[in-house]
Amino acid sequence: MQLRIGSRWRSAVDDTQVVVVRAPAGEVSLTCGGHPLIPADSQPTPGLTIDEGATGGTALGKRYADPATGLELLCVKAGTGALALDGVELPLKSAKPLPASD
């Protein structure tokens, strides 16, 4: 799939919804719960379930990022499936430390 900044995607198996904050160049395989993400305005296929090993959930308001490709997603609706890029689970983006105010 080709991702664009600002595009909204949803999981086909749970409530997860994300917005693309930074998009990688080229095609990627982005999944949630073991199934490809679909555009936010489309309806999921009935009967799909989360694949075993693709659980872990997403957290509302958190960013998920892959430094190797530059992909960054913002979770706007939490769910029970785990986000993955090209078969590798996406980690939470770590916060930047604030400067000391001594």
Side-chain angles (χ1 to χ4, degrees):
M1 74 178 54
Q2 183 72 35
L3 299 176
R4 291 189 335 251
I5 295 172
S7 61
R8 292 179 63 109
W9 298 86
R10 67 179 290 173
S11 171
V13 293
D14 69 359
D15 293 332
T16 300
Q17 290 188 20
V18 296
V19 173
V20 178
V21 177
R22 289 194 182 130
E27 296 280 322
V28 294
S29 173
L30 189 57
T31 61
C32 183
H35 298 277
L37 290 180
I38 57 175
D41 58 353
S42 62
Q43 293 299 316
T45 305
L48 291 178
T49 59
I50 297 174
D51 289 348
E52 191 168 322
T55 59
T58 53
L60 178 66
K62 298 295 182 182
R63 292 178 184 241
Y64 295 83
D66 179 46
T69 61
L71 173 69
E72 187 174 327
L73 304 172
L74 173 64
C75 180
V76 294
K77 190 170 183 184
T80 56
L83 291 168
L85 176 67
D86 297 329
V88 178
E89 190 171 336
L90 277 174
L92 276 171
K93 184 177 180 183
S94 59
K96 294 180 183 177
L98 295 174
S101 60
D102 294 341

Coordinates of all heavy atoms in Angstrom, one line a residue:
M1 N 0.8 -1.2 0.0 CA 0.0 0.0 0.0 C 0.9 1.2 0.0 O 2.0 1.2 0.6 CB -1.0 0.0 1.2 CG -0.4 0.3 2.5 SD -1.5 0.3 4.0 CE -2.3 -1.2 3.9
Q2 N 0.4 2.3 -0.6 CA 1.1 3.5 -0.7 C 0.5 4.5 0.4 O -0.7 4.8 0.3 CB 1.0 4.2 -2.1 CG 1.7 5.5 -2.3 CD 3.2 5.3 -2.3 OE1 3.7 4.3 -2.9 NE2 4.0 6.2 -1.8
L3 N 1.2 4.9 1.3 CA 0.7 5.8 2.4 C 1.0 7.2 2.1 O 2.1 7.6 1.6 CB 1.4 5.4 3.8 CG 1.1 4.0 4.2 CD1 1.9 3.7 5.5 CD2 -0.3 3.7 4.4
R4 N 0.0 8.1 2.5 CA 0.2 9.5 2.3 C 0.0 10.2 3.7 O -0.8 9.7 4.5 CB -0.8 10.1 1.3 CG -0.6 9.7 -0.1 CD -1.5 10.5 -1.0 NE -2.7 10.9 -0.5 CZ -3.9 10.5 -0.7 NH1 -4.1 9.5 -1.5 NH2 -5.0 11.0 -0.1
I5 N 0.7 11.3 3.9 CA 0.6 12.0 5.2 C -0.9 12.5 5.3 O -1.4 13.0 4.4 CB 1.6 13.2 5.2 CG1 3.0 12.7 5.3 CG2 1.3 14.1 6.4 CD1 4.1 13.7 5.1
G6 N -1.4 12.3 6.5 CA -2.8 12.7 6.7 C -3.9 11.7 6.4 O -5.0 11.9 6.8
S7 N -3.5 10.6 5.7 CA -4.5 9.6 5.4 C -4.9 8.8 6.7 O -4.1 8.6 7.5 CB -4.0 8.7 4.3 OG -2.8 8.0 4.7
R8 N -6.2 8.4 6.7 CA -6.7 7.6 7.9 C -6.9 6.2 7.4 O -7.4 5.9 6.4 CB -8.0 8.2 8.3 CG -7.8 9.6 8.9 CD -9.1 10.2 9.4 NE -9.7 9.4 10.4 CZ -9.8 9.8 11.7 NH1 -9.4 11.0 12.1 NH2 -10.4 9.0 12.6
W9 N -6.5 5.3 8.3 CA -6.6 3.9 8.1 C -7.2 3.2 9.3 O -7.1 3.7 10.4 CB -5.2 3.2 7.8 CG -4.6 3.8 6.6 CD1 -3.9 5.0 6.5 CD2 -4.7 3.3 5.3 NE1 -3.5 5.2 5.2 CE2 -4.0 4.2 4.4 CE3 -5.3 2.2 4.7 CZ2 -3.8 4.0 3.1 CZ3 -5.2 2.0 3.4 CH2 -4.4 2.9 2.6
R10 N -7.9 2.1 9.1 CA -8.5 1.3 10.2 C -8.2 -0.1 10.1 O -7.9 -0.6 9.0 CB -10.0 1.5 10.2 CG -10.7 0.9 9.0 CD -12.2 1.1 9.1 NE -12.8 0.3 10.1 CZ -14.0 0.3 10.5 NH1 -14.9 1.1 9.9 NH2 -14.4 -0.5 11.5
S11 N -8.3 -0.8 11.2 CA -8.1 -2.3 11.2 C -9.3 -3.0 10.7 O -10.4 -2.5 10.8 CB -7.9 -2.7 12.7 OG -7.8 -4.1 12.7
A12 N -9.1 -4.1 10.0 CA -10.2 -4.9 9.5 C -10.7 -5.9 10.6 O -11.7 -6.5 10.3 CB -9.7 -5.7 8.3
V13 N -10.1 -6.0 11.7 CA -10.5 -7.0 12.7 C -10.8 -6.4 14.1 O -11.3 -7.1 15.0 CB -9.4 -8.1 12.9 CG1 -9.3 -8.9 11.7 CG2 -8.0 -7.5 13.3
D14 N -10.5 -5.1 14.4 CA -10.8 -4.5 15.7 C -11.1 -3.0 15.5 O -11.3 -2.6 14.4 CB -9.7 -4.8 16.7 CG -8.4 -4.0 16.4 OD1 -8.3 -3.3 15.4 OD2 -7.5 -4.2 17.2
D15 N -11.1 -2.3 16.6 CA -11.5 -0.9 16.5 C -10.3 0.1 16.2 O -10.5 1.3 16.1 CB -12.1 -0.4 17.9 CG -13.4 -1.1 18.1 OD1 -14.1 -1.4 17.2 OD2 -13.8 -1.3 19.3
T16 N -9.1 -0.4 16.0 CA -8.0 0.5 15.8 C -8.1 1.3 14.6 O -8.5 0.9 13.5 CB -6.7 -0.4 15.6 OG1 -6.5 -1.2 16.8 CG2 -5.5 0.5 15.4
Q17 N -7.8 2.6 14.8 CA -7.8 3.6 13.7 C -6.5 4.5 13.9 O -6.2 4.9 15.0 CB -9.0 4.5 13.6 CG -10.3 3.7 13.2 CD -11.4 4.7 13.0 OE1 -11.3 5.9 12.8 NE2 -12.6 4.1 13.1
V18 N -5.8 4.7 12.7 CA -4.6 5.5 12.8 C -4.6 6.6 11.7 O -5.3 6.5 10.7 CB -3.3 4.6 12.6 CG1 -3.2 3.7 13.8 CG2 -3.3 3.9 11.3
V19 N -3.8 7.6 11.9 CA -3.5 8.7 11.0 C -2.0 8.6 10.7 O -1.2 8.5 11.6 CB -3.9 10.1 11.5 CG1 -3.5 11.2 10.5 CG2 -5.4 10.1 11.8
V20 N -1.7 8.7 9.4 CA -0.3 8.7 9.0 C 0.3 10.1 9.2 O -0.2 11.1 8.7 CB -0.1 8.4 7.5 CG1 1.3 8.4 7.1 CG2 -0.7 7.0 7.2
V21 N 1.3 10.2 10.1 CA 2.0 11.5 10.5 C 3.2 11.6 9.5 O 3.5 12.7 9.0 CB 2.4 11.5 11.9 CG1 3.2 12.7 12.3 CG2 1.2 11.3 12.8
R22 N 4.0 10.6 9.3 CA 5.1 10.6 8.4 C 5.0 9.3 7.5 O 4.8 8.2 8.1 CB 6.4 10.6 9.1 CG 6.7 11.9 9.8 CD 8.2 12.0 10.2 NE 8.4 13.2 10.9 CZ 8.9 13.3 12.1 NH1 9.4 12.3 12.7 NH2 9.1 14.5 12.7
A23 N 5.1 9.5 6.2 CA 5.0 8.3 5.3 C 6.3 7.9 4.7 O 7.1 8.8 4.4 CB 4.0 8.7 4.2
P24 N 6.5 6.6 4.6 CA 7.8 6.2 4.0 C 7.6 6.3 2.4 O 6.5 6.4 1.9 CB 7.9 4.7 4.4 CG 6.5 4.3 4.6 CD 5.7 5.5 5.1
A25 N 8.8 6.4 1.8 CA 8.8 6.4 0.3 C 8.5 4.9 -0.2 O 9.1 4.0 0.4 CB 10.1 6.9 -0.2
G26 N 7.6 4.8 -1.1 CA 7.4 3.5 -1.7 C 6.3 2.7 -1.0 O 5.6 3.2 -0.1
E27 N 6.2 1.5 -1.5 CA 5.1 0.6 -1.0 C 5.5 -0.1 0.3 O 6.7 -0.5 0.5 CB 4.8 -0.5 -2.0 CG 4.3 0.0 -3.3 CD 2.8 0.3 -3.3 OE1 2.1 -0.5 -2.6 OE2 2.4 1.3 -3.8
V28 N 4.6 -0.3 1.2 CA 4.8 -1.0 2.5 C 3.6 -1.9 2.8 O 2.5 -1.7 2.2 CB 5.0 0.0 3.7 CG1 6.2 0.8 3.6 CG2 3.8 0.9 3.9
S29 N 3.8 -2.9 3.7 CA 2.7 -3.7 4.1 C 2.4 -3.4 5.6 O 3.2 -3.8 6.4 CB 3.1 -5.2 3.9 OG 2.2 -6.0 4.5
L30 N 1.3 -2.7 5.8 CA 0.9 -2.3 7.1 C -0.3 -3.1 7.6 O -1.3 -3.1 6.9 CB 0.6 -0.8 7.1 CG 0.4 -0.1 8.5 CD1 1.6 -0.3 9.4 CD2 0.1 1.4 8.2
T31 N -0.1 -3.8 8.7 CA -1.2 -4.7 9.2 C -1.6 -4.3 10.7 O -0.8 -3.7 11.4 CB -0.8 -6.1 9.1 OG1 0.4 -6.4 10.0 CG2 -0.5 -6.6 7.7
C32 N -2.7 -4.8 11.1 CA -3.2 -4.7 12.5 C -3.9 -6.0 12.8 O -4.8 -6.4 12.0 CB -4.1 -3.5 12.7 SG -4.6 -3.3 14.4
G33 N -3.5 -6.7 13.8 CA -4.1 -8.0 14.1 C -3.8 -9.1 13.1 O -4.5 -10.0 13.0
G34 N -2.8 -8.9 12.3 CA -2.4 -9.8 11.2 C -3.1 -9.7 9.9 O -2.9 -10.4 9.0
H35 N -3.9 -8.6 9.7 CA -4.6 -8.3 8.5 C -4.3 -6.9 8.0 O -4.1 -6.0 8.8 CB -6.2 -8.5 8.7 CG -6.6 -9.9 9.1 ND1 -6.8 -10.9 8.2 CD2 -6.8 -10.4 10.3 CE1 -7.1 -12.0 8.8 NE2 -7.1 -11.7 10.1
P36 N -4.3 -6.7 6.7 CA -3.9 -5.4 6.2 C -4.9 -4.3 6.6 O -6.1 -4.6 6.8 CB -4.0 -5.6 4.7 CG -3.9 -7.0 4.4 CD -4.4 -7.7 5.6
L37 N -4.4 -3.1 6.9 CA -5.2 -2.0 7.2 C -6.0 -1.6 6.0 O -5.6 -1.8 4.8 CB -4.4 -0.8 7.7 CG -3.7 -0.9 9.0 CD1 -2.9 0.4 9.3 CD2 -4.7 -1.2 10.1
I38 N -7.2 -1.0 6.2 CA -8.1 -0.6 5.1 C -8.4 0.9 5.3 O -8.2 1.4 6.4 CB -9.4 -1.4 5.1 CG1 -10.1 -1.3 6.4 CG2 -9.1 -2.9 4.8 CD1 -11.5 -2.0 6.5
P39 N -8.8 1.6 4.2 CA -9.1 3.0 4.4 C -10.2 3.2 5.5 O -11.1 2.4 5.6 CB -9.6 3.4 3.0 CG -8.9 2.5 2.1 CD -8.8 1.2 2.9
A40 N -10.1 4.3 6.2 CA -11.0 4.5 7.3 C -12.5 4.6 6.9 O -13.4 4.3 7.7 CB -10.6 5.8 8.1
D41 N -12.8 5.0 5.7 CA -14.1 5.1 5.3 C -14.7 3.9 4.7 O -15.9 3.8 4.3 CB -14.3 6.3 4.3 CG -13.4 6.1 3.0 OD1 -12.6 5.2 3.0 OD2 -13.5 6.9 2.1
S42 N -14.0 2.8 4.6 CA -14.5 1.5 4.1 C -14.9 0.6 5.2 O -14.5 0.7 6.4 CB -13.5 0.9 3.2 OG -12.3 0.5 3.9
Q43 N -15.7 -0.4 4.9 CA -16.2 -1.4 5.9 C -15.4 -2.6 5.9 O -15.0 -3.1 4.8 CB -17.7 -1.7 5.6 CG -18.6 -0.6 5.8 CD -18.6 -0.1 7.2 OE1 -18.6 -0.8 8.1 NE2 -18.6 1.2 7.3
P44 N -15.0 -3.2 7.1 CA -14.2 -4.4 7.1 C -15.1 -5.6 6.7 O -16.3 -5.6 6.7 CB -13.9 -4.5 8.6 CG -14.9 -3.7 9.3 CD -15.3 -2.6 8.4
T45 N -14.3 -6.6 6.2 CA -15.0 -7.9 5.8 C -15.5 -8.6 7.1 O -14.7 -8.8 8.0 CB -13.9 -8.8 5.1 OG1 -13.4 -8.1 4.0 CG2 -14.6 -10.1 4.6
P46 N -16.7 -9.0 7.1 CA -17.2 -9.7 8.3 C -16.6 -11.0 8.5 O -16.2 -11.7 7.6 CB -18.7 -9.8 8.1 CG -19.0 -9.3 6.7 CD -17.7 -8.8 6.1
G47 N -16.4 -11.4 9.8 CA -15.9 -12.8 10.1 C -14.4 -12.9 10.3 O -13.9 -13.9 10.7
L48 N -13.7 -11.8 10.1 CA -12.2 -11.8 10.3 C -12.0 -11.7 11.8 O -12.7 -11.0 12.5 CB -11.5 -10.7 9.6 CG -11.5 -10.7 8.1 CD1 -10.8 -9.4 7.5 CD2 -10.8 -11.9 7.6
T49 N -10.9 -12.4 12.2 CA -10.5 -12.4 13.6 C -9.0 -12.1 13.7 O -8.3 -12.3 12.7 CB -10.8 -13.7 14.4 OG1 -10.1 -14.8 13.7 CG2 -12.3 -14.0 14.4
I50 N -8.6 -11.6 14.9 CA -7.2 -11.3 15.1 C -6.4 -12.6 15.0 O -6.7 -13.6 15.7 CB -7.0 -10.6 16.4 CG1 -7.7 -9.3 16.4 CG2 -5.5 -10.4 16.7 CD1 -7.7 -8.5 17.7
D51 N -5.3 -12.6 14.3 CA -4.4 -13.7 14.2 C -3.7 -14.0 15.5 O -3.4 -13.0 16.2 CB -3.4 -13.5 13.1 CG -4.0 -13.6 11.7 OD1 -5.1 -14.0 11.5 OD2 -3.2 -13.2 10.7
E52 N -3.4 -15.2 15.8 CA -2.7 -15.6 17.0 C -1.3 -15.0 16.9 O -0.6 -15.1 15.8 CB -2.6 -17.1 17.2 CG -2.1 -17.5 18.6 CD -2.3 -18.9 18.8 OE1 -3.4 -19.5 18.4 OE2 -1.4 -19.5 19.5
G53 N -0.8 -14.3 17.9 CA 0.5 -13.7 17.9 C 0.5 -12.3 17.4 O 1.5 -11.6 17.4
A54 N -0.7 -11.8 17.0 CA -0.8 -10.4 16.5 C -1.6 -9.6 17.5 O -2.3 -8.6 17.1 CB -1.4 -10.4 15.1
T55 N -1.6 -10.0 18.7 CA -2.3 -9.2 19.8 C -1.3 -8.3 20.5 O -0.1 -8.4 20.3 CB -3.0 -10.1 20.8 OG1 -2.0 -10.9 21.4 CG2 -4.1 -11.0 20.1
G56 N -1.8 -7.5 21.3 CA -0.9 -6.6 22.1 C -1.6 -5.2 22.2 O -1.3 -4.5 23.1
G57 N -2.4 -4.9 21.3 CA -3.2 -3.7 21.4 C -2.5 -2.4 20.9 O -1.3 -2.4 20.8
T58 N -3.3 -1.4 20.7 CA -2.9 -0.1 20.4 C -3.4 0.9 21.5 O -4.5 0.6 22.0 CB -3.3 0.4 19.0 OG1 -4.8 0.2 18.9 CG2 -2.7 -0.5 17.9
A59 N -2.7 1.9 21.7 CA -3.1 2.9 22.8 C -3.5 4.2 22.1 O -2.8 4.7 21.3 CB -2.0 3.1 23.7
L60 N -4.6 4.7 22.6 CA -5.2 6.0 22.1 C -4.2 7.1 22.3 O -3.6 7.3 23.4 CB -6.5 6.3 22.8 CG -7.2 7.6 22.4 CD1 -7.6 7.6 21.0 CD2 -8.3 7.9 23.3
G61 N -3.9 7.9 21.3 CA -3.1 9.1 21.4 C -1.6 8.8 21.3 O -0.8 9.7 21.4
K62 N -1.2 7.6 21.2 CA 0.2 7.2 21.1 C 0.7 7.1 19.7 O -0.1 6.9 18.8 CB 0.5 5.8 21.8 CG 0.1 5.8 23.3 CD 1.0 6.8 24.0 CE 0.7 6.7 25.5 NZ 1.5 7.6 26.3
R63 N 2.0 7.4 19.5 CA 2.6 7.3 18.2 C 3.4 6.0 18.1 O 4.1 5.6 19.0 CB 3.5 8.5 17.9 CG 2.7 9.8 17.8 CD 3.5 11.0 17.6 NE 2.7 12.2 17.6 CZ 2.7 13.0 16.6 NH1 3.4 12.8 15.5 NH2 1.9 14.1 16.7
Y64 N 3.3 5.4 16.9 CA 4.0 4.2 16.6 C 4.9 4.6 15.4 O 4.5 5.2 14.4 CB 3.0 3.1 16.2 CG 2.2 2.7 17.4 CD1 1.0 3.3 17.7 CD2 2.6 1.6 18.2 CE1 0.3 3.0 18.8 CE2 1.8 1.2 19.3 CZ 0.7 1.9 19.6 OH -0.1 1.6 20.7
A65 N 6.2 4.2 15.5 CA 7.2 4.6 14.5 C 8.1 3.5 14.1 O 8.5 2.7 15.0 CB 7.9 5.9 15.0
D66 N 8.6 3.6 12.9 CA 9.7 2.7 12.4 C 10.8 3.7 11.9 O 10.7 4.2 10.8 CB 9.2 1.8 11.3 CG 10.3 0.9 10.8 OD1 11.0 0.4 11.6 OD2 10.5 0.8 9.6
P67 N 11.9 3.8 12.7 CA 13.0 4.7 12.3 C 13.6 4.3 11.0 O 14.1 5.2 10.2 CB 14.0 4.7 13.4 CG 13.4 3.8 14.5 CD 12.2 3.2 13.9
A68 N 13.7 3.1 10.6 CA 14.3 2.6 9.4 C 13.6 3.1 8.1 O 14.3 3.5 7.2 CB 14.4 1.1 9.4
T69 N 12.3 3.2 8.1 CA 11.6 3.6 7.0 C 11.1 5.1 7.1 O 10.7 5.7 6.1 CB 10.3 2.7 6.7 OG1 9.5 2.8 7.8 CG2 10.8 1.3 6.4
G70 N 11.0 5.6 8.3 CA 10.5 6.9 8.6 C 9.0 7.0 8.8 O 8.4 8.0 9.0
L71 N 8.3 5.8 8.9 CA 6.9 5.7 9.1 C 6.6 6.2 10.5 O 7.2 5.8 11.5 CB 6.4 4.3 8.9 CG 4.9 4.1 9.2 CD1 4.0 4.8 8.3 CD2 4.6 2.6 9.2
E72 N 5.5 7.0 10.6 CA 5.0 7.4 12.0 C 3.5 7.4 11.9 O 3.0 8.1 11.0 CB 5.6 8.7 12.4 CG 5.2 9.1 13.8 CD 5.9 10.3 14.3 OE1 7.1 10.6 13.9 OE2 5.3 11.0 15.1
L73 N 2.8 6.7 12.8 CA 1.4 6.7 12.9 C 0.9 7.2 14.2 O 1.6 7.0 15.2 CB 0.9 5.2 12.7 CG 1.3 4.5 11.5 CD1 0.9 3.0 11.6 CD2 0.7 5.1 10.2
L74 N -0.2 7.9 14.2 CA -0.9 8.4 15.4 C -2.1 7.6 15.6 O -3.0 7.5 14.7 CB -1.2 9.9 15.4 CG -2.0 10.4 16.5 CD1 -1.3 10.3 17.8 CD2 -2.4 11.9 16.2
C75 N -2.3 6.9 16.8 CA -3.5 6.1 17.0 C -4.6 7.0 17.5 O -4.5 7.7 18.5 CB -3.2 5.1 18.1 SG -4.6 4.0 18.5
V76 N -5.7 7.1 16.7 CA -6.9 7.9 17.1 C -8.0 7.1 17.6 O -9.0 7.7 18.1 CB -7.3 8.8 15.9 CG1 -6.2 9.8 15.5 CG2 -7.7 7.9 14.7
K77 N -7.9 5.8 17.6 CA -8.9 4.9 18.2 C -8.2 3.6 18.6 O -7.6 3.0 17.7 CB -10.1 4.7 17.3 CG -11.3 4.0 18.0 CD -12.5 4.0 17.1 CE -13.7 3.4 17.9 NZ -14.8 3.3 17.1
A78 N -8.3 3.3 19.9 CA -7.5 2.1 20.3 C -8.2 0.8 20.0 O -9.4 0.8 19.7 CB -7.4 2.2 21.9
G79 N -7.4 -0.3 19.9 CA -8.0 -1.6 19.7 C -7.1 -2.7 20.3 O -6.2 -2.4 21.0
T80 N -7.4 -3.9 20.0 CA -6.7 -5.0 20.6 C -5.7 -5.7 19.8 O -4.9 -6.4 20.3 CB -7.7 -6.1 21.1 OG1 -8.5 -6.5 19.9 CG2 -8.7 -5.6 22.1
G81 N -5.6 -5.4 18.5 CA -4.6 -5.9 17.6 C -3.4 -5.1 17.6 O -3.4 -3.9 18.0
A82 N -2.2 -5.7 17.2 CA -0.9 -5.0 17.2 C -0.7 -4.6 15.8 O -0.9 -5.3 14.8 CB 0.2 -6.0 17.7
L83 N -0.1 -3.3 15.7 CA 0.3 -2.8 14.4 C 1.6 -3.4 14.0 O 2.5 -3.6 14.8 CB 0.5 -1.3 14.5 CG -0.8 -0.5 14.7 CD1 -0.5 1.0 15.0 CD2 -1.7 -0.5 13.4
A84 N 1.8 -3.7 12.7 CA 3.0 -4.3 12.2 C 3.3 -3.7 10.8 O 2.4 -3.4 10.0 CB 2.9 -5.8 12.1
L85 N 4.6 -3.5 10.5 CA 5.1 -3.0 9.2 C 5.9 -4.1 8.6 O 6.9 -4.5 9.2 CB 5.9 -1.7 9.4 CG 6.5 -1.2 8.2 CD1 5.4 -0.7 7.2 CD2 7.5 -0.1 8.5
D86 N 5.5 -4.6 7.5 CA 6.3 -5.7 6.8 C 6.5 -6.9 7.7 O 7.6 -7.5 7.7 CB 7.6 -5.2 6.2 CG 7.3 -4.1 5.1 OD1 6.3 -4.2 4.4 OD2 8.2 -3.2 5.0
G87 N 5.5 -7.2 8.5 CA 5.6 -8.4 9.4 C 6.3 -8.2 10.7 O 6.3 -9.1 11.5
V88 N 6.8 -7.0 11.0 CA 7.5 -6.7 12.2 C 6.7 -5.7 13.0 O 6.3 -4.7 12.5 CB 8.9 -6.1 12.0 CG1 9.6 -5.7 13.3 CG2 9.7 -7.0 11.1
E89 N 6.4 -6.0 14.3 CA 5.5 -5.2 15.2 C 6.1 -3.8 15.3 O 7.3 -3.6 15.5 CB 5.4 -5.8 16.5 CG 4.3 -5.1 17.4 CD 4.0 -5.9 18.7 OE1 4.2 -7.1 18.7 OE2 3.5 -5.2 19.6
L90 N 5.3 -2.8 15.2 CA 5.7 -1.4 15.3 C 5.8 -1.0 16.8 O 4.8 -1.2 17.5 CB 4.7 -0.4 14.6 CG 4.8 -0.2 13.1 CD1 3.7 0.6 12.6 CD2 6.1 0.4 12.8
P91 N 6.9 -0.5 17.2 CA 7.1 -0.1 18.6 C 6.5 1.3 18.8 O 6.3 2.1 17.9 CB 8.6 0.0 18.8 CG 9.1 0.3 17.5 CD 8.2 -0.3 16.5
L92 N 6.2 1.6 20.1 CA 5.7 2.9 20.5 C 6.9 3.9 20.3 O 8.1 3.5 20.5 CB 5.4 3.0 22.0 CG 3.9 2.6 22.3 CD1 3.8 2.5 23.8 CD2 2.9 3.5 21.8
K93 N 6.6 5.1 19.8 CA 7.7 6.1 19.7 C 8.0 6.6 21.1 O 7.1 7.0 21.8 CB 7.2 7.2 18.8 CG 8.3 8.2 18.5 CD 7.8 9.3 17.5 CE 8.9 10.3 17.3 NZ 8.5 11.4 16.4
S94 N 9.3 6.7 21.4 CA 9.7 7.1 22.7 C 9.7 8.7 22.7 O 9.9 9.3 21.7 CB 11.1 6.6 23.0 OG 12.0 7.0 22.0
A95 N 9.4 9.2 23.9 CA 9.4 10.6 24.1 C 10.8 11.2 24.1 O 11.7 10.6 24.6 CB 8.6 11.0 25.3
K96 N 10.9 12.4 23.6 CA 12.2 13.1 23.7 C 12.3 13.7 25.2 O 11.4 14.2 25.7 CB 12.2 14.3 22.8 CG 12.2 13.9 21.3 CD 12.3 15.1 20.4 CE 12.2 14.7 19.0 NZ 12.2 15.8 18.1
P97 N 13.5 13.5 25.8 CA 13.7 14.0 27.1 C 13.7 15.5 27.1 O 14.3 16.2 26.2 CB 15.0 13.4 27.5 CG 15.7 13.0 26.3 CD 14.7 12.8 25.3
L98 N 13.1 16.1 28.1 CA 13.1 17.6 28.2 C 14.4 18.1 28.8 O 15.0 17.3 29.6 CB 11.9 18.0 29.1 CG 10.5 17.7 28.6 CD1 9.5 18.1 29.6 CD2 10.3 18.5 27.3
P99 N 14.8 19.3 28.5 CA 16.0 19.8 29.1 C 15.9 20.1 30.6 O 14.8 20.3 31.1 CB 16.3 21.1 28.4 CG 15.0 21.5 27.8 CD 14.2 20.2 27.6
A100 N 16.9 19.9 31.3 CA 16.9 20.2 32.8 C 16.6 21.7 33.0 O 17.0 22.5 32.3 CB 18.2 19.8 33.4
S101 N 15.8 21.9 34.1 CA 15.4 23.3 34.4 C 16.0 23.7 35.7 O 15.3 24.4 36.5 CB 13.9 23.5 34.4 OG 13.4 22.6 35.4
D102 N 17.2 23.4 35.9 CA 17.9 23.7 37.2 C 18.2 25.1 37.4 O 18.5 25.9 36.6 CB 19.2 22.9 37.4 CG 18.9 21.4 37.5 OD1 17.8 21.1 37.8 OD2 19.8 20.6 37.2

